[in-house]
Amino acid sequence: MIKIPVVVATTLALALTTVPALAQRSPIVHLSPANIHAIGLKIISARIRTLHARRTFYGDFTLPPDSEAVVTPRIRGRVTALYATVGATVRRGAPLARVQSLLVGNPPPSVVVHAPMSGVVDTRPAVLGEAVAPGILLYRLIKPHRLWLKAYVYQQDVTVVHHGQEARIRALGVAAPLHGRVVMVAPRVNPRRGAETIWIALDHPPVALRPALFARASVIVASTRAVTVPSNAVVNVGARHAVFVAIGGDRFRYTPVTVGIREHGYCGVSGLEAGARIVTQGNAELYTLWMTGGKLKADS
């Protein structure tokens, strides 16, 4: 979007003939063919497009609530065998450890501890010969390929983020963008962070992802179908916006518009019809002429 101060010093040698009062200013600006060529005028038709408003949030990857499990013994005893190492993939029901009971017997009774779910061994605190009891951690299992992105939404954006919104994610070490959807939103703002926590589930998480990897999420918070023009076609003076519409040959009309969502170099506007021919290059010079009420000489 072009930002033009109230007084514009145009770089071209434009000969201005009249400067009417503001109340008498016409919305029409005239250019000769020579002037049109001199300023490199370019025109494009306004089109209806779907635009998305986005917000960017930062966070790291974490495991969903049902994607990890701890393995503990049911009895007091001593670890006599360990069947899986860190990083190993195990199936639900697979034996992980053997614990020999402290009860008297010949031989003493022992219990085999099995995997409560299929997954990967994340940690194995258990040590051969160690005395253990119920509640002592032997293994921690995770499902690393079901990661969610845990991100933080600060207070100015809390009201626009909701369950089900689509997100595009960029993760460190992953070349291609990832896609997902907001699946959980914390019911309150974390007072320590001053932010609300959201979780984004990935559609197809790549194998390269690991818990705690940093990522950036661009969440779609609103969508609309609107008449759109290139952002550089819009003249911005303070709080006002306008475009110049080609209305035939040498005539261009100053047209106020209201700017909405901006995305990918385009912006949605109201006050303009689809198909209108919009000046995208040379609009700064046209604005100068409109502000001064000037009219180019044919030989300028």
Side-chain angles (χ1 to χ4, degrees), residues 99-140:
V99 177
Q100 188 178 71
S101 173
L102 297 180
L103 297 175
V104 177
N106 189 18
S110 61
V111 172
V112 175
V113 181
H114 297 88
M117 73 174 195
S118 298
V120 174
V121 177
D122 180 51
T123 58
R124 193 192 73 176
V127 178
L128 278 175
E130 178 184 27
V132 294
I136 298 296
L137 181 65
L138 300 179
Y139 288 87
R140 181 172 179 265

Tab-separated table of all heavy atoms in Angstrom, residues 99-140:
chain	number	residue	atom	x	y	z
A	99	VAL	N	10.527	-58.214	37.843
A	99	VAL	CA	10.772	-57.787	39.220
A	99	VAL	C	10.597	-59.001	40.136
A	99	VAL	O	9.525	-59.634	40.145
A	99	VAL	CB	9.805	-56.661	39.641
A	99	VAL	CG1	10.035	-56.281	41.110
A	99	VAL	CG2	9.981	-55.453	38.739
A	100	GLN	N	11.653	-59.305	40.887
A	100	GLN	CA	11.602	-60.422	41.831
A	100	GLN	C	11.081	-59.925	43.170
A	100	GLN	O	11.567	-58.932	43.722
A	100	GLN	CB	12.993	-61.018	42.007
A	100	GLN	CG	13.008	-62.303	42.822
A	100	GLN	CD	14.405	-62.864	42.920
A	100	GLN	OE1	15.257	-62.301	43.598
A	100	GLN	NE2	14.639	-63.975	42.232
A	101	SER	N	10.084	-60.614	43.682
A	101	SER	CA	9.442	-60.198	44.928
A	101	SER	C	10.383	-60.344	46.113
A	101	SER	O	11.282	-61.194	46.122
A	101	SER	CB	8.176	-61.025	45.169
A	101	SER	OG	7.641	-60.747	46.446
A	102	LEU	N	10.165	-59.535	47.134
A	102	LEU	CA	10.929	-59.628	48.377
A	102	LEU	C	10.370	-60.702	49.301
A	102	LEU	O	10.938	-60.979	50.370
A	102	LEU	CB	10.928	-58.270	49.096
A	102	LEU	CG	11.598	-57.114	48.345
A	102	LEU	CD1	11.525	-55.837	49.171
A	102	LEU	CD2	13.058	-57.455	48.023
A	103	LEU	N	9.254	-61.324	48.918
A	103	LEU	CA	8.666	-62.383	49.723
A	103	LEU	C	9.570	-63.610	49.721
A	103	LEU	O	10.281	-63.885	48.744
A	103	LEU	CB	7.283	-62.763	49.182
A	103	LEU	CG	6.215	-61.650	49.223
A	103	LEU	CD1	4.935	-62.135	48.549
A	103	LEU	CD2	5.945	-61.231	50.671
A	104	VAL	N	9.521	-64.357	50.793
A	104	VAL	CA	10.364	-65.564	50.921
A	104	VAL	C	9.800	-66.652	50.015
A	104	VAL	O	8.595	-66.870	49.931
A	104	VAL	CB	10.413	-66.032	52.388
A	104	VAL	CG1	11.222	-67.325	52.501
A	104	VAL	CG2	11.007	-64.937	53.259
A	105	GLY	N	10.669	-67.366	49.340
A	105	GLY	CA	10.262	-68.456	48.485
A	105	GLY	C	11.489	-69.098	47.874
A	105	GLY	O	12.592	-68.551	47.913
A	106	ASN	N	11.315	-70.268	47.264
A	106	ASN	CA	12.441	-70.937	46.621
A	106	ASN	C	11.985	-71.538	45.303
A	106	ASN	O	11.398	-72.618	45.291
A	106	ASN	CB	13.015	-72.022	47.527
A	106	ASN	CG	14.323	-72.580	46.971
A	106	ASN	OD1	14.954	-71.959	46.127
A	106	ASN	ND2	14.698	-73.758	47.447
A	107	PRO	N	12.147	-70.834	44.204
A	107	PRO	CA	12.737	-69.488	44.128
A	107	PRO	C	11.707	-68.435	44.553
A	107	PRO	O	10.505	-68.716	44.549
A	107	PRO	CB	13.075	-69.352	42.651
A	107	PRO	CG	12.031	-70.171	41.967
A	107	PRO	CD	11.749	-71.337	42.880
A	108	PRO	N	12.166	-67.194	44.853
A	108	PRO	CA	11.210	-66.138	45.206
A	108	PRO	C	10.290	-65.850	44.026
A	108	PRO	O	10.708	-65.948	42.861
A	108	PRO	CB	12.106	-64.940	45.522
A	108	PRO	CG	13.453	-65.514	45.806
A	108	PRO	CD	13.558	-66.748	44.954
A	109	PRO	N	9.037	-65.508	44.295
A	109	PRO	CA	8.121	-65.192	43.180
A	109	PRO	C	8.577	-63.936	42.436
A	109	PRO	O	9.194	-63.042	43.012
A	109	PRO	CB	6.788	-64.976	43.876
A	109	PRO	CG	7.140	-64.615	45.279
A	109	PRO	CD	8.401	-65.364	45.610
A	110	SER	N	8.275	-63.883	41.159
A	110	SER	CA	8.630	-62.714	40.348
A	110	SER	C	7.457	-62.337	39.450
A	110	SER	O	6.579	-63.167	39.165
A	110	SER	CB	9.879	-62.979	39.507
A	110	SER	OG	9.665	-64.054	38.619
A	111	VAL	N	7.482	-61.104	39.006
A	111	VAL	CA	6.405	-60.556	38.169
A	111	VAL	C	7.025	-59.910	36.935
A	111	VAL	O	8.020	-59.182	37.041
A	111	VAL	CB	5.575	-59.508	38.938
A	111	VAL	CG1	4.578	-58.806	38.015
A	111	VAL	CG2	4.852	-60.155	40.102
A	112	VAL	N	6.443	-60.186	35.768
A	112	VAL	CA	6.877	-59.532	34.531
A	112	VAL	C	5.999	-58.305	34.298
A	112	VAL	O	4.768	-58.381	34.361
A	112	VAL	CB	6.790	-60.480	33.326
A	112	VAL	CG1	7.140	-59.740	32.030
A	112	VAL	CG2	7.710	-61.668	33.528
A	113	VAL	N	6.651	-57.171	34.032
A	113	VAL	CA	5.949	-55.911	33.776
A	113	VAL	C	5.837	-55.720	32.273
A	113	VAL	O	6.849	-55.811	31.558
A	113	VAL	CB	6.694	-54.721	34.415
A	113	VAL	CG1	5.935	-53.426	34.154
A	113	VAL	CG2	6.886	-54.956	35.911
A	114	HIS	N	4.617	-55.456	31.773
A	114	HIS	CA	4.357	-55.356	30.335
A	114	HIS	C	4.062	-53.906	29.920
A	114	HIS	O	3.660	-53.081	30.737
A	114	HIS	CB	3.177	-56.243	29.939
A	114	HIS	CG	3.428	-57.698	30.189
A	114	HIS	ND1	3.148	-58.289	31.404
A	114	HIS	CD2	3.933	-58.672	29.389
A	114	HIS	CE1	3.459	-59.577	31.340
A	114	HIS	NE2	3.936	-59.834	30.122
A	115	ALA	N	4.231	-53.654	28.632
A	115	ALA	CA	3.963	-52.315	28.076
A	115	ALA	C	2.461	-52.061	28.056
A	115	ALA	O	1.709	-52.868	27.497
A	115	ALA	CB	4.534	-52.200	26.670
A	116	PRO	N	2.004	-50.954	28.642
A	116	PRO	CA	0.558	-50.665	28.639
A	116	PRO	C	0.048	-50.129	27.305
A	116	PRO	O	-1.160	-50.033	27.101
A	116	PRO	CB	0.432	-49.609	29.736
A	116	PRO	CG	1.745	-48.904	29.744
A	116	PRO	CD	2.771	-49.945	29.398
A	117	MET	N	0.959	-49.737	26.408
A	117	MET	CA	0.561	-49.251	25.082
A	117	MET	C	1.724	-49.448	24.120
A	117	MET	O	2.868	-49.701	24.533
A	117	MET	CB	0.171	-47.765	25.119
A	117	MET	CG	1.335	-46.827	25.288
A	117	MET	SD	0.869	-45.079	25.155
A	117	MET	CE	2.494	-44.324	24.931
A	118	SER	N	1.432	-49.361	22.846
A	118	SER	CA	2.490	-49.385	21.836
A	118	SER	C	3.136	-48.010	21.746
A	118	SER	O	2.447	-46.987	21.857
A	118	SER	CB	1.916	-49.770	20.473
A	118	SER	OG	1.363	-51.069	20.513
A	119	GLY	N	4.457	-47.984	21.559
A	119	GLY	CA	5.143	-46.703	21.482
A	119	GLY	C	6.641	-46.874	21.468
A	119	GLY	O	7.157	-47.951	21.151
A	120	VAL	N	7.328	-45.783	21.813
A	120	VAL	CA	8.785	-45.756	21.839
A	120	VAL	C	9.235	-45.491	23.268
A	120	VAL	O	8.626	-44.681	23.980
A	120	VAL	CB	9.328	-44.670	20.890
A	120	VAL	CG1	10.836	-44.523	21.015
A	120	VAL	CG2	8.943	-44.988	19.448
A	121	VAL	N	10.317	-46.173	23.693
A	121	VAL	CA	10.852	-45.958	25.034
A	121	VAL	C	11.528	-44.585	25.071
A	121	VAL	O	12.527	-44.356	24.396
A	121	VAL	CB	11.843	-47.057	25.418
A	121	VAL	CG1	12.440	-46.766	26.799
A	121	VAL	CG2	11.158	-48.423	25.411
A	122	ASP	N	10.956	-43.680	25.856
A	122	ASP	CA	11.505	-42.326	25.982
A	122	ASP	C	12.572	-42.257	27.068
A	122	ASP	O	13.642	-41.699	26.876
A	122	ASP	CB	10.371	-41.348	26.283
A	122	ASP	CG	10.857	-39.917	26.423
A	122	ASP	OD1	11.579	-39.451	25.531
A	122	ASP	OD2	10.511	-39.275	27.426
A	123	THR	N	12.279	-42.831	28.228
A	123	THR	CA	13.259	-42.899	29.318
A	123	THR	C	13.163	-44.267	29.987
A	123	THR	O	12.111	-44.923	29.963
A	123	THR	CB	13.013	-41.799	30.376
A	123	THR	OG1	11.690	-41.934	30.895
A	123	THR	CG2	13.191	-40.412	29.773
A	124	ARG	N	14.303	-44.702	30.607
A	124	ARG	CA	14.320	-45.961	31.344
A	124	ARG	C	15.138	-45.763	32.619
A	124	ARG	O	16.330	-46.082	32.666
A	124	ARG	CB	14.919	-47.089	30.498
A	124	ARG	CG	14.674	-48.474	31.071
A	124	ARG	CD	15.488	-49.532	30.403
A	124	ARG	NE	16.908	-49.458	30.795
A	124	ARG	CZ	17.844	-50.337	30.412
A	124	ARG	NH1	17.512	-51.320	29.593
A	124	ARG	NH2	19.093	-50.209	30.807
A	125	PRO	N	14.522	-45.222	33.657
A	125	PRO	CA	15.256	-45.006	34.908
A	125	PRO	C	15.652	-46.307	35.611
A	125	PRO	O	16.551	-46.307	36.461
A	125	PRO	CB	14.281	-44.205	35.767
A	125	PRO	CG	13.249	-43.679	34.806
A	125	PRO	CD	13.170	-44.681	33.713
A	126	ALA	N	14.972	-47.396	35.299
A	126	ALA	CA	15.214	-48.654	36.000
A	126	ALA	C	16.647	-49.137	35.775
A	126	ALA	O	17.212	-49.003	34.680
A	126	ALA	CB	14.226	-49.708	35.530
A	127	VAL	N	17.222	-49.746	36.835
A	127	VAL	CA	18.581	-50.289	36.795
A	127	VAL	C	18.543	-51.722	37.319
A	127	VAL	O	17.833	-52.010	38.297
A	127	VAL	CB	19.539	-49.439	37.657
A	127	VAL	CG1	20.945	-50.034	37.658
A	127	VAL	CG2	19.567	-48.004	37.156
A	128	LEU	N	19.271	-52.611	36.685
A	128	LEU	CA	19.320	-54.001	37.142
A	128	LEU	C	19.765	-54.068	38.596
A	128	LEU	O	20.731	-53.401	39.000
A	128	LEU	CB	20.272	-54.811	36.277
A	128	LEU	CG	19.724	-55.333	34.945
A	128	LEU	CD1	20.824	-56.012	34.148
A	128	LEU	CD2	18.555	-56.274	35.169
A	129	GLY	N	19.071	-54.866	39.379
A	129	GLY	CA	19.408	-55.042	40.787
A	129	GLY	C	18.817	-54.003	41.702
A	129	GLY	O	18.940	-54.110	42.933
A	130	GLU	N	18.159	-52.999	41.145
A	130	GLU	CA	17.604	-51.917	41.954
A	130	GLU	C	16.368	-52.401	42.706
A	130	GLU	O	15.549	-53.155	42.169
A	130	GLU	CB	17.247	-50.746	41.048
A	130	GLU	CG	16.613	-49.563	41.768
A	130	GLU	CD	16.202	-48.469	40.796
A	130	GLU	OE1	15.920	-48.786	39.624
A	130	GLU	OE2	16.152	-47.306	41.232
A	131	ALA	N	16.245	-51.936	43.949
A	131	ALA	CA	15.044	-52.213	44.726
A	131	ALA	C	13.950	-51.239	44.290
A	131	ALA	O	14.190	-50.035	44.186
A	131	ALA	CB	15.331	-52.071	46.211
A	132	VAL	N	12.764	-51.765	44.007
A	132	VAL	CA	11.667	-50.936	43.520
A	132	VAL	C	10.411	-51.232	44.319
A	132	VAL	O	10.324	-52.230	45.042
A	132	VAL	CB	11.407	-51.174	42.015
A	132	VAL	CG1	12.587	-50.706	41.178
A	132	VAL	CG2	11.087	-52.641	41.745
A	133	ALA	N	9.425	-50.340	44.158
A	133	ALA	CA	8.135	-50.495	44.825
A	133	ALA	C	7.070	-49.898	43.931
A	133	ALA	O	7.374	-49.183	42.967
A	133	ALA	CB	8.173	-49.793	46.184
A	134	PRO	N	5.789	-50.175	44.195
A	134	PRO	CA	4.725	-49.567	43.384
A	134	PRO	C	4.864	-48.048	43.343
A	134	PRO	O	5.100	-47.408	44.364
A	134	PRO	CB	3.454	-49.997	44.118
A	134	PRO	CG	3.820	-51.288	44.766
A	134	PRO	CD	5.257	-51.122	45.192
A	135	GLY	N	4.750	-47.482	42.134
A	135	GLY	CA	4.892	-46.042	41.955
A	135	GLY	C	6.278	-45.616	41.501
A	135	GLY	O	6.461	-44.474	41.066
A	136	ILE	N	7.273	-46.515	41.599
A	136	ILE	CA	8.624	-46.192	41.118
A	136	ILE	C	8.659	-46.338	39.593
A	136	ILE	O	8.243	-47.362	39.045
A	136	ILE	CB	9.679	-47.121	41.761
A	136	ILE	CG1	9.694	-46.940	43.278
A	136	ILE	CG2	11.062	-46.844	41.175
A	136	ILE	CD1	10.112	-45.567	43.728
A	137	LEU	N	9.152	-45.314	38.910
A	137	LEU	CA	9.163	-45.323	37.445
A	137	LEU	C	10.214	-46.287	36.906
A	137	LEU	O	11.403	-46.182	37.236
A	137	LEU	CB	9.446	-43.906	36.921
A	137	LEU	CG	9.460	-43.740	35.408
A	137	LEU	CD1	8.075	-44.021	34.818
A	137	LEU	CD2	9.919	-42.334	35.016
A	138	LEU	N	9.756	-47.216	36.056
A	138	LEU	CA	10.665	-48.129	35.357
A	138	LEU	C	10.924	-47.647	33.927
A	138	LEU	O	12.059	-47.618	33.476
A	138	LEU	CB	10.074	-49.544	35.325
A	138	LEU	CG	9.790	-50.215	36.668
A	138	LEU	CD1	9.182	-51.597	36.443
A	138	LEU	CD2	11.048	-50.305	37.514
A	139	TYR	N	9.861	-47.308	33.221
A	139	TYR	CA	9.931	-46.850	31.831
A	139	TYR	C	8.932	-45.712	31.626
A	139	TYR	O	7.925	-45.627	32.331
A	139	TYR	CB	9.554	-47.961	30.848
A	139	TYR	CG	10.550	-49.077	30.675
A	139	TYR	CD1	10.525	-50.178	31.529
A	139	TYR	CD2	11.480	-49.043	29.643
A	139	TYR	CE1	11.419	-51.222	31.359
A	139	TYR	CE2	12.370	-50.082	29.463
A	139	TYR	CZ	12.340	-51.171	30.332
A	139	TYR	OH	13.229	-52.200	30.150
A	140	ARG	N	9.226	-44.907	30.620
A	140	ARG	CA	8.249	-43.939	30.113
A	140	ARG	C	8.143	-44.164	28.618
A	140	ARG	O	9.139	-44.082	27.889
A	140	ARG	CB	8.680	-42.498	30.408
A	140	ARG	CG	7.699	-41.443	29.925
A	140	ARG	CD	8.118	-40.060	30.431
A	140	ARG	NE	7.225	-39.007	29.989
A	140	ARG	CZ	7.433	-38.263	28.900
A	140	ARG	NH1	8.514	-38.450	28.150
A	140	ARG	NH2	6.576	-37.320	28.580
